[in-house]
Amino acid sequence: MPDLRIASPDKATHAAASDRLGRALRDLRISVTDRCNFRCVYCMPKEVFGKDYAFLDRKEILSFEEIARLARIFRELGIEKVRLTGGEPLVRRNLEQLIEMLARIPGLDLTLTTNGSLLERKARSFKDAGLQRITVSLDSLDDGVFRRMNDVDFPVGKVLEGIEAAAAAGLAPVKINMVVKRGENEASILPMARHFRGSGHILRFIEYMDVGHTNGWRMDDVVTAREIIEMIGAEAPLEAVDPNYPGEVAERWRYRDGGGEIGVIASVTQAFCRDCTRIRLSTEGKLYTCLFATAGHDLRALVRGGASDVEIREAIAAIWAKRTDRYSEIRTAETAKLQKVEMSYIGG
Ligand code: SAM
Ligand code: SF4
Ligand code: SF4
């Protein structure tokens, strides 16, 4: 039986459900839209996500009220951190309203991941609405490389303006995520490291993953975290830093000369499933217990079918209690071919 002892949301302690491998439920990622204004080659390749691609219909997607209700229930189950993601979360209209609703839930750490393209004019209102931190994805400072990787010819300068606007609004330190794909942007690693060294922002390199089933992933395309650290360390000596908390996905490194910190997310070469406390809510209200899941659990049916908060809470606890996912630990070239759900839908 899952542990269903529930504390009231305003109390500091909450029931922490545990899965089959003893992992607590701590982090919720909410995908607020499956749409995006970019077509990053490793995430939403144009050939698949073209003009005729069937994105979710308006009535299929969870409303802000439905999302906020579920977030409150998740908080009661022990969730401490909520990350809004997508698709591109900023293409969902009036996102600040959702931020405001979630920020009212006591004890929640609220953050967001964005491609930064629309951030400049939104950063201040997000901060005012209660957003605490932000992560901006940026794969190169080279305008040509960046335009090729986002595949919609979007200029890098606009994203840099978005990052500065976020910092100026008080969302510093901004985390910058760079996915490294061999043959696309490994030459951008050092210029990115140099640019953000000493800036106060925290640059994190992500190993290219086999998410979804449309990006044609091959192990040969992965530039490993080890290679990246060696490359940067050869130019500017680095030392390892302890994690901020158990289960932190990024391995932390610090410049020995005090130039700040970088991180590597080695999801392919050093799987961290053992400590994985993450669950994902898709745009249409399906619950996924792993980024690489092939199927989800329909929470929207419960929400729209009149289930009470207690019934929904018990359903989520039961799903978590059965969880055995550890995809990255058992990844092979064969599993990479599975029909996994797309990252733009499930939320990165
Ligand atoms: N659109 C937003 C963005 O790009 O930041 C949020 C959603 S995106 C799916 C979340 C994160 O997943 C981004 O940092 C993106 O670079 C990363 N991502 C997408 N596809 C990936 C892949 N195949 N391997 C590694 N990271 C990936
Ligand atoms: Fe869009 Fe983010 Fe995927 Fe790029 S990584 S296509 S910005 S959802
Ligand atoms: Fe968590 Fe699944 Fe990623 Fe492992 S593969 S860290 S279980 S999301």
Side-chain angles (χ1 to χ4, degrees):
M1 260 303 277
D3 182 351
L4 294 177
R5 284 168 299 153
I6 303 301
S8 78
D10 51 331
K11 292 223 179 93
T13 50
H14 294 263
S18 206
D19 73 4
R20 285 245 179 103
L21 302 178
R23 298 167 296 189
L25 176 55
R26 291 271 176 252
D27 309 275
L28 172 63
R29 299 197 172 187
I30 303 175
S31 173
V32 295
T33 176
D34 61 334
R35 291 166 197 257
C36 185
N37 55 343
F38 282 13
R39 286 293 176 272
C40 301
V41 290
Y42 50 75
C43 179
M44 295 180 81
K46 242 182 193 165
E47 316 78 69
V48 179
F49 294 88
K51 267 203 320 304
D52 301 327
Y53 187 82
F55 288 102
L56 293 169
D57 200 68
R58 221 184 136 80
K59 57 184 181 309
E60 293 179 277
I61 71 179
L62 293 183
S63 67
F64 289 165
E65 288 71 22
E66 288 170 333
I67 294 174
R69 177 180 175 210
L70 286 172
R72 276 193 298 276
I73 295 171
F74 274 108
R75 174 74 187 117
E76 292 168 5
L77 280 163
I79 289 289
E80 292 168 354
K81 183 159 138 192
V82 166
R83 177 176 298 277
L84 300 179
T85 176
E88 173 47 40
L90 275 66
V91 304
R92 177 114 184 220
R93 242 182 290 151
N94 303 322
L95 189 66
E96 46 278 40
Q97 287 173 8
L98 176 65
I99 293 173
E100 211 174 303
M101 289 158 94
L102 297 176
R104 277 192 229 121
I105 303 174
L108 262 196
D109 179 25
L110 187 57
T111 174
L112 176 146
T113 303
T114 172
N115 63 25
S117 59
L118 306 169
L119 185 57
E120 196 201 358
R121 55 193 169 87
K122 285 284 183 180
R124 173 68 56 188
S125 62
F126 285 178
K127 172 69 181 169
D128 291 346
L131 189 71
Q132 284 156 312
R133 287 173 303 107
I134 197 157
T135 300
V136 180
S137 304
L138 175 62
D139 296 329
S140 182
L141 289 172
D142 179 309
D143 199 48
V145 174
F146 185 67
R147 285 175 193 255
R148 200 164 56 238
M149 284 188 84
N150 65 52
D151 215 8
V152 292
D153 212 25
F154 196 87
V156 70
K158 289 290 294 172
V159 177
L160 293 171
E161 283 166 23
I163 292 171
E164 290 322 310
L171 292 165
V174 179
K175 283 189 184 149
I176 317 289
N177 275 0
M178 171 176 175
V179 175
V180 187
K181 184 173 178 201
R182 201 177 298 283
E184 296 277 356
N185 65 338
E186 70 265 46
S188 301
I189 295 172
L190 284 175
M192 283 281 283
R194 287 178 201 131
H195 180 84
F196 288 107
R197 186 168 159 203
S199 68
H201 308 316
I202 301 175
L203 175 61
R204 302 169 340 149
F205 299 90
I206 306 181
E207 287 180 350
Y208 169 51
M209 295 186 286
D210 53 327
V211 289
H213 61 279
T214 55
N215 71 0
W217 182 88
R218 298 175 320 139
M219 186 63 210
D220 290 352
D221 295 334
V222 179
V223 180
T224 68
R226 200 55 38 220
E227 285 176 75
I228 294 168
I229 289 299
E230 278 170 19
M231 194 189 289
I232 298 171
E235 182 174 287
L238 292 164
E239 61 193 10
V241 185
D242 287 339
N244 284 312
Y245 51 88
E248 187 173 27
V249 294
E251 185 183 293
R252 300 170 62 204
W253 293 82
R254 167 166 63 210
Y255 291 107
R256 282 181 192 271
D257 69 357
E261 200 177 307
I262 59 169
V264 281
I265 303 183
S267 17
V268 176
T269 59
Q270 297 164 53
F272 34 74
C273 303
R274 207 175 341 110
D275 296 318
C276 180
T277 55
R278 288 175 290 284
I279 200 161
R280 291 175 159 84
L281 181 64
S282 79
T283 315
E284 57 174 340
K286 287 217 177 102
L287 195 59
Y288 292 88
T289 55
C290 179
L291 178 56
F292 298 92
T294 48
H297 306 265
D298 191 357
L299 287 190
R300 190 186 66 191
L302 289 177
V303 169
R304 296 194 180 164
S308 69
D309 285 5
V310 172
E311 285 165 340
I312 295 173
R313 192 166 61 209
E314 287 180 358
I316 298 169
I319 291 165
W320 189 259
K322 288 201 199 94
R323 176 183 190 246
T324 55
D325 302 281
R326 51 185 200 96
Y327 179 87
S328 286
E329 289 180 352
I330 56 172
R331 172 188 287 110
T332 62
E334 285 313 303
T335 58
K337 290 186 203 135
L338 290 171
Q339 290 279 310
K340 293 156 287 173
V341 290
E342 294 300 329
M343 195 164 184
S344 50
Y345 160 81
I346 194 176

